[in-house]
Amino acid sequence: MTSIRSIALGAVSVLALSATSALADGEVNIYSYRQPELIQPLMDAFTKETGIKTNVLFLDKGLVERITAEGANSPADVILTVDIARLTEAKDGGVTQPLNDEDINKQIPAQYRDTDGNWFGLTTRGRVLYASKDRVSEDAITYEELADPKWKGRICMRDGQHSYNIGLFASMVAHHGAEYTEKWLAGLKQNLVKKPDGNDRAQAKAIYAGECDLGLANTYYLGLMQTNEKEPEEKEWAKSVKVLFPNAADRGTHVNISGMALAKNSPNKDNAVKLMEFLASDEAQTIYAEQVFEYPVGPNAKASEIVAGFGAIKPDTLPLTDIAANRKVASELVDKVGLNEGPTQ
């Protein structure tokens, strides 16, 4: 019997897992927010090492809702996702279960795992500044400085309500409080060259075009642009910028994570735990980090040559759970100051 079948979810082609396949021996079912081609080398390595077959269901949205609707008969064993917000969403949505595993806990630093064991980080990406090599002489910066009038008309960014930016703003709330962050956001707004728009790559494009000098972006997009053979113009965007790691001299740069969780009703729990232990290993983290141009969280896993080329990152040691707890306040402040309206005259 075929264990997986192709279906369409909106415009996204995914693999649907039948209840029959979920109970088969020697298999593990992964529900993933991460693109299948990015995690396939990991799945191949796991199968080669253990003989356990992996079935991947890719969703671009609605993962928690789907698992909830499937209920006790859900075939999901392991959840893979790309953001602390989605990991906490899965926990708060009741679709994960706690796991206290000595091997995983040894590999994943405490700041990158849930205190209750409901999720674990695997790789990190910094929320950094892309800076024009030609027009920005500074080699160091802080997030706080982004509200300094010296940057007026020189900063560009994507939607202030995007999850990546909300995470950064939530970290500012955690460090400085809501009152300070509101004033800081108002200052950042006035330093924007235009209304927030585009994605992180678009900020590099804008710097290349001379529209702005600084752009908020995630580190891994630089790797994606540097290696984009289908759209070689992105390589030129990447060449025009350098990476500034904010607050490297003090508390460290804000990071987000990709991570994993054990599904609440995992029908193949033993295999799920084996996969999670494998994903936490130095070998797997090295493979994963190289595929997605992120920094591994394991103490002995190595960043790829491309990622190392971005520069050394000193992550903010603030627990990600503290950041997640301030996301709602951060979102409200973005609206309160009208960040997405752009600078006022």
Side-chain angles (χ1 to χ4, degrees), residues 16 78 87 122 176 193 211 232 258 282 301 343-344:
V78 174
L87 287 167
L122 295 172
H176 297 297
V193 69
E211 297 173 9
S258 67
D282 291 333
T344 55

Side-chain angles (χ1 to χ4, degrees), residues 60-129:
D60 63 345
K61 59 183 177 181
L63 185 150
V64 172
E65 292 80 2
R66 182 181 179 115
I67 296 178
T68 300
E70 291 169 344
N73 293 320
S74 174
D77 290 309
V78 174
I79 296 168
L80 290 181
T81 188
V82 292
D83 189 272
I84 180 60
R86 284 180 161 172
L87 287 167
T88 55
E89 177 187 46
K91 178 184 176 181
D92 294 344
V95 300
T96 65
Q97 60 174 297
L99 176 64
N100 184 12
D101 184 284
E102 183 178 350
D103 290 338
I104 296 176
N105 291 343
K106 185 184 301 182
Q107 282 293 112
I108 310 298
Q111 73 189 91
Y112 300 128
R113 48 185 162 89
D114 177 47
T115 53
D116 298 321
N118 278 269
W119 53 259
F120 305 86
L122 295 172
T123 59
T124 68
R125 79 293 295 260
R127 194 70 180 154
V128 298
L129 273 302

Side-chain angles (χ1 to χ4, degrees), residues 269-290:
K269 185 174 180 179
D270 287 346
N271 289 344
V273 172
K274 288 178 183 178
L275 175 60
M276 293 176 71
E277 289 175 341
F278 173 78
L279 292 175
S281 70
D282 291 333
E283 173 193 358
Q285 283 194 45
T286 299
I287 295 172
Y288 192 22
E290 183 168 1

